[in-house]
Structure formats: structure tokens, C-alpha cells
Amino acid sequence: MQPMIKPGTTPVPVETQPPGAEPPQERARSQGAARVLLALALAALGLWILHEFLPALAWAVVLAIALWPLYTRLEHRFPPGKHNLLLPTLMTAAVALVFLAPLAILGIQAAREAHDVAEFVRNAEANGIAAPEFLQHLPYGAPQATAWWNDNLGHAKAGSELLRRFENHSVIGASRNVGREVMHRIVLFGFSLVALFFLFRDWRTVRDQSLTACHRLFGPRGERVARQMVASVHGTVDGLVLVGLGEGFVLGIVYYFAGVPHPVLLGAFTAVAAMIPFGAAVAIAIAALLLVAAGSVTAAIVVAAAGLVVTFVADHFIRPALIGGTTKLPFLWVLLGILGGVETFGLLGLFVGPAVMAALVLLWRDYTEGHDRTA
């Protein structure tokens, strides 16, 4: 029986599906799954293409996060122009100068001492290597140690044999590998600077898009985790980098007055080593051994004692206050994050490790306190 249609009305066509066609809900579900698979495949392909440059990108992100408060203050002081190129360029150039200036100083110092090294090599080849003076001041076994040195290294034949070992193909090959690695690091550093420039220039867009993505993917908790990781990077920079530089500066002064050779270079090495937990002890031990080798035992004791006091105050009071106070993270987890991060990612792990630990601790607190079910 056909339905009756009133005069003057237009019949509404009924949508029909061809035989074998999927219902709209199933089609939308399959298309969504296909989009997810396509996104995952493209993300994996992109990571595979960029895997050599991922550390450089990570360093650029860490530097941008660390310098973001300073950059925003400068931006308020000197508003950007239409193209916003001058301030990002100056900030990137300043970062490059901070990293390249110490390397240039080391290169100049090495060039100055190249003559002394060449003279030492010629003298060792002609007359052997003279026994150092500190062997005669050893509390035990001084005559035996001096006699062994003179018998094995103190004559011309021993010096020639020792130098011949440094001229074999394995050492030459190792030097070539070092040169190749240095060039690779220079390229990655240049890429980091380029990425840092664009992060400075477009930091508002990057921030807004990142927070939007976190919010859409994970809800309010995702934004909280992202902010916690950023705070962790700030705290790690303050607690590791700034405190390490302070340790290197103070101990550099101690090295100078104690008579340690090359106090500026050794102070810079101490500053870098102090950024890694327990790393400053290695630099302090080297400085003390150099003084012992020169016969200044009292000065070596003073350097060791000063280094112990400085590192104890920095590691037990200043760093926990800076890092833990910023991230609300127990210092034990900060320490584990730093050590595990360095073991896994190298120097980049100094910042990645604590950031990951801060995010995990935040998620754990939300879950155990019940916020995870209500957020």
C-alpha cells in the first residue's frame, strides 16, 4: 500500500545504500582507525629520517626553555619588529658565543703550548724522559720507583720506543675518528643553533600549539605534565649549570692562589664536571695530584679540603633547594634522574632525566591522591 501524499507537497527522497555498503558509523570508525595508523606510520618515518638530528633538536628545546624567561624580559624591554629577526638572532649568537668562546680559549692555549710539547718530544727522543721530582718525595718506595723510571723511561732508547708507539697506524686511525666525530658534532651544533633561532622567533606559536595538543590528547592533566617538565628543566638549569659554574669560579680562585698549573683551564673543567653529580671530585683530585707532582703537598691538602667544603655545600644545600623547590621533586629522584639520564642520553640526560622523573612523580601523586579519576 503506497503512502498518501498531500497535494502541493514534494516527496522527501529516502536515502538508500547500495548492497554491501558499510553503515555510516562503521565507516567513520574504520576511517578513524586508518587515520591513526597513517599518523603513527608517518610519525615513525619522520623519527627515522630525523634520528641523527634528534639530539640537536632536543638541545635546542632545552636551551630555549632555559633561556625563555630571559628572552621574554628582553622582548618586553625591546618589542620585536614586524619580522621579529633581530632579537632571536642576537640571542642565538650569544648562545653560540658562550659555547664557542671557551673552545677558542682552549685552542689558543694549546697553540701557545705546542712549542713546549714539541720541545719535550725532541728531548724525550734524544735523552729519554727524566724522572719527575715527586717520586723522590714519596713516603714509601721512593728509591725503587725512581730506579724503575730511570731503567724503563730515563734513557734515549726508551723514549724513542715510546714515541714510536704513538706513531703507529692505530693512533693515526684514532685521530682520524676523533676528527670525524668533531666535524659531526660541529654540524649538529650548527643545526641546534638554527632550530634555536626559530624557537626564539616563534615561541608563542610553539607554546600554544604544544599546550593545545597536550590538552586535546590528555585533557587538563596533559597540560599539567607539560608545565611540570618545563619547570623541571628550569630547576635543573639553575641547580646544575649555574651551581656548577659557581663551583668552578670559586675553586678556580683556590687553584690560582694554591699554585695549580693553568688555574683558568682547570677551573673551567671543574665547572663543567661539577654539572654532573660527583664529577667535581675528579677535577679536584687532578688539581691536587698536580700539586703533589710539583712537590706542594700542603697546597694539595688545602685544595682538597676547599673542594670538599664547596662541593658539600653545593650538593647538600644549594642544589636540592633549587631543583626540588622548583619541581616539588625529592632530591633522591632528581639524583636518579640525572645519573640515569646521563647513562642513557649523555650530557643531554642531565635535563631529560629529571624532566621525565618529574612527570612520573606528578602522575603518581595524581593517581594516589585520587586526582586522576576526577581530572
Side-chain angles (χ1 to χ4, degrees):
M1 181 177 180
Q2 299 292 334
M4 297 180 61
I5 302 175
K6 296 180 180 180
T9 61
T10 304
V12 178
V14 179
E15 183 179 356
T16 60
Q17 296 181 354
E22 292 182 336
Q25 293 182 351
E26 294 184 3
R27 187 185 308 119
R29 190 180 300 112
S30 62
Q31 289 175 350
R35 284 194 298 268
V36 171
L37 292 176
L38 177 62
L40 292 176
L42 290 176
L45 181 61
L47 291 175
W48 181 71
I49 293 173
L50 297 175
H51 73 279
E52 289 289 343
F53 296 94
L54 289 179
L57 286 173
W59 273 115
V61 171
V62 168
L63 290 173
I65 293 174
L67 297 173
W68 175 68
L70 175 62
Y71 184 82
T72 53
R73 284 196 291 268
L74 291 175
E75 200 174 47
H76 287 302
R77 177 70 175 173
F78 307 101
K82 179 180 179 181
H83 301 287
N84 191 20
L85 296 177
L86 181 59
L87 187 57
T89 302
L90 293 177
M91 283 292 294
T92 306
V95 171
L97 185 63
V98 167
F99 282 94
L100 295 178
L103 295 178
I105 294 174
L106 289 175
I108 294 173
Q109 188 69 23
R112 289 178 178 176
E113 297 187 0
H115 174 75
D116 296 336
V117 173
E119 184 65 26
F120 172 79
V121 170
R122 286 193 295 267
N123 184 61
E125 190 172 9
N127 305 313
I129 303 174
E133 184 180 355
F134 76 92
L135 290 179
Q136 302 175 6
H137 301 282
L138 292 176
Y140 301 101
Q144 293 82 356
T146 304
W148 179 90
W149 188 286
N150 292 330
D151 293 339
N152 293 275
L153 301 174
H155 52 86
K157 184 178 179 181
S160 300
E161 292 177 355
L162 183 63
L163 293 174
R164 195 177 300 112
R165 293 179 183 177
F166 285 96
E167 295 174 357
N168 57 25
H169 296 287
S170 61
V171 176
I172 295 175
S175 63
R176 291 176 179 174
N177 292 333
V178 169
R180 191 181 302 112
E181 187 68 20
V182 168
M183 290 301 301
H184 180 67
R185 298 295 179 184
I186 291 175
V187 172
L188 291 181
F189 180 68
F191 185 78
S192 296
L193 292 178
V194 173
L196 183 62
F197 167 80
F198 286 104
L199 288 175
F200 280 144
R201 193 190 68 173
D202 304 321
W203 70 269
R204 287 186 178 84
T205 302
V206 174
R207 179 200 60 185
D208 295 341
Q209 290 179 352
S210 300
L211 292 178
T212 300
C214 290
H215 188 84
R216 293 186 63 183
L217 288 174
F218 309 108
R221 285 168 296 170
E223 183 175 340
R224 290 181 62 235
V225 170
R227 293 185 182 278
Q228 180 75 349
M229 296 180 72
V230 170
S232 174
V233 173
H234 285 300
T236 305
V237 170
D238 294 339
L240 293 181
V241 178
L242 298 183
V243 174
L245 292 176
E247 289 185 57
F249 177 77
V250 173
L251 292 177
I253 296 176
V254 175
Y255 297 157
Y256 175 79
F257 286 104
V260 178
H262 310 295
V264 176
L265 296 179
L266 195 55
F269 173 71
T270 304
V272 175
M275 298 177 190
I276 304 173
F278 315 112
V282 177
I284 296 169
I286 292 175
L289 290 176
L290 289 175
L291 290 173
V292 171
S296 303
V297 179
T298 304
I301 295 175
V302 171
V303 167
L308 179 63
V309 171
V310 171
T311 55
F312 180 83
V313 172
D315 293 340
H316 291 80
F317 296 99
I318 301 178
R319 277 191 175 130
L322 291 176
I323 301 178
T326 303
T327 61
K328 307 300 181 183
L329 187 65
F331 188 69
L332 173 62
W333 292 106
V334 175
L335 182 61
L336 292 176
I338 292 171
L339 296 177
V342 171
E343 178 69 22
T344 306
F345 300 105
L347 289 178
L348 185 62
L350 289 173
F351 310 97
V352 175
V356 173
M357 290 296 106
L360 290 176
V361 170
L362 176 63
L363 293 175
W364 174 255
R365 287 172 178 167
D366 285 348
Y367 181 75
T368 55
E369 295 172 4
H371 301 311
D372 184 74
R373 292 187 295 271
T374 59

